[in-house]
Amino acid sequence: MRTNRDRLVMISVQGTVSNPEHTGRHSVSHDGEPFMVPGTGGITYNVRVGDSAFGWEVDHVEPGVSTLLDQKDRNSPQNRGYHFYACVGNEAKVVTGDAKGAKGVVTGHHGGAEHILIDFSEDVLDKLTLDDKFLIKGFGQGLKLLDYPDVHVYNLDPNLLEKMNVVEKNGELHVPVVAVVPPFLMGSGIGSTTMGTGDYDIMTADYDALKEYGLTGLRFGDLVYIQDHDNSYGRCYRKGAASIGVIIHSDCKLAGHGPGVTILMTCAKGILKPIISQDANIAKILKIGRFEEK
């Protein structure tokens, strides 16, 4: 597949661990039940990319290390820049502390929290502190598929794209994904125009619908195909469109929420097609998280 990767710039951005936050009060689930459980932020030791996105006693939990630039002002231009330049598949390096020099991989953007998620091996996670800093080689924004100008690519390292086994056939791109998500299940984040940052959620209040469409086994890092959703210039329903994304945070108890999806590819026309494969997970593709090479 021809791309413009030779014209892309690689730019450094640097962040730190985002301290976990909590109100200390109960929230109310989509079933009307009060809950008070862990959520976003911090260093998550026992939840990693490749693990199930369901079944944890959490809400919006993020695998690995949750990072940002400025905890006091998540919407500052500098924090937005950190969020924008870091792409899924980028190399991240620890530049402070006992784990200095260790390398990890960016696995997703989480909107609202404005976090960049990074996977490191277990021995590195044990050495990290909340004061550590991470240098990311931001590479991927501006990526184009030269023979498919109607396909928009966001947040995707070209090296990861080349490993995704996309098949070109009759003017279409057939992309390996774990599952097809029907358009009516997409919720929180619809309407956002910040395509180079953030995510949006697969709603999970209707468990029967999840079972019907084979979504109850989703894992962090799974690539999914969102039917009839166009993310070209904002997140919206458009008949015949399609988007490819990666699962980046866990199921959620709040109405309108569920596993988060960072968008990697999208097209308003019927060019993107799904190939169902249980191996379509970035942890497997990049040999990180639960599938890292020992």
Side-chain angles (χ1 to χ4, degrees):
M1 189 187 322
R2 297 193 312 127
T3 72
N4 67 334
R5 67 168 294 156
D6 62 325
R7 308 302 297 170
L8 301 182
V9 295
M10 183 180 291
I11 299 179
S12 63
V13 287
Q14 183 170 292
T16 189
V17 181
S18 175
N19 284 305
E21 297 181 359
H22 203 282
T23 64
R25 297 188 295 272
H26 286 86
S27 299
V28 179
S29 75
H30 50 65
D31 291 324
E33 298 293 332
F35 68 91
M36 187 166 55
V37 294
T40 61
I43 301 165
T44 306
Y45 298 101
N46 61 333
V47 180
R48 299 187 59 197
V49 63
D51 283 334
S52 174
F54 293 94
W56 303 94
E57 292 296 337
V58 295
D59 190 81
H60 287 83
V61 80
E62 300 160 332
V65 184
S66 306
T67 72
L68 45 58
L69 175 69
D70 186 352
Q71 184 133 335
K72 294 182 179 178
D73 186 0
R74 296 171 190 269
N75 293 313
S76 69
Q78 293 80 10
N79 199 60
R80 289 288 186 185
Y82 177 71
H83 204 156
F84 172 75
Y85 285 107
C87 291
V88 177
N90 282 173
E91 177 187 288
K93 183 169 68 173
V94 185
V95 294
T96 57
D98 292 343
K100 184 176 180 179
K103 293 181 180 180
V105 176
V106 174
T107 61
H109 298 179
H110 187 183
E114 307 309 327
H115 289 165
I116 291 297
L117 312 182
I118 306 175
D119 179 77
F120 289 101
S121 63
E122 290 183 358
D123 62 320
V124 173
L125 293 176
D126 284 340
K127 295 176 182 177
L128 295 175
T129 74
L130 296 182
D131 295 320
D132 279 322
K133 296 182 180 181
F134 311 94
L135 184 72
I136 296 172
K137 292 182 176 180
F139 186 54
Q141 301 293 23
L143 182 61
K144 295 179 181 178
L145 309 184
L146 298 180
D147 296 318
Y148 305 90
D150 294 315
V151 176
H152 298 262
V153 182
Y154 298 107
N155 317 312
L156 179 59
D157 189 307
N159 296 305
L160 174 56
L161 172 62
E162 292 172 4
K163 296 177 180 178
M164 286 168 55
N165 293 323
V166 178
V167 177
E168 299 179 80
K169 184 178 180 181
N170 300 325
E172 299 172 339
L173 294 177
H174 296 252
V175 185
V177 295
V178 168
V180 174
V181 182
F184 62 83
L185 283 181
M186 298 310 298
S188 178
I190 289 178
S192 170
T193 57
T194 55
M195 305 317 305
T197 65
D199 69 306
Y200 70 139
D201 289 8
I202 301 170
M203 295 186 289
T204 55
D206 189 334
Y207 193 74
D208 288 339
L210 296 182
K211 290 194 294 183
E212 179 181 352
Y213 288 93
L215 303 176
T216 58
L218 288 177
R219 301 162 295 173
F220 303 109
D222 276 349
L223 297 172
V224 295
Y225 179 98
I226 306 174
Q227 196 172 33
D228 296 331
H229 267 239
D230 181 17
N231 278 256
S232 298
Y233 306 105
R235 309 187 198 282
C236 63
Y237 173 87
R238 193 186 302 274
K239 186 70 174 178
S243 297
I244 306 292
V246 58
I247 301 295
I248 58 99
H249 69 62
S250 76
D251 187 20
C252 318
K253 299 178 184 294
L254 297 172
H257 291 259
V261 184
T262 292
I263 292 302
L264 305 179
M265 304 171 70
T266 188
C267 187
K269 301 180 180 179
I271 294 175
L272 298 175
K273 304 294 183 183
I275 301 172
I276 301 300
S277 170
Q278 294 306 305
D279 291 328
N281 181 290
I282 66 168
K284 284 190 173 184
I285 295 169
L286 298 176
K287 296 181 174 58
I288 61 174
R290 292 303 178 197
F291 299 98
E292 70 178 288
E293 292 183 327
K294 302 296 183 180

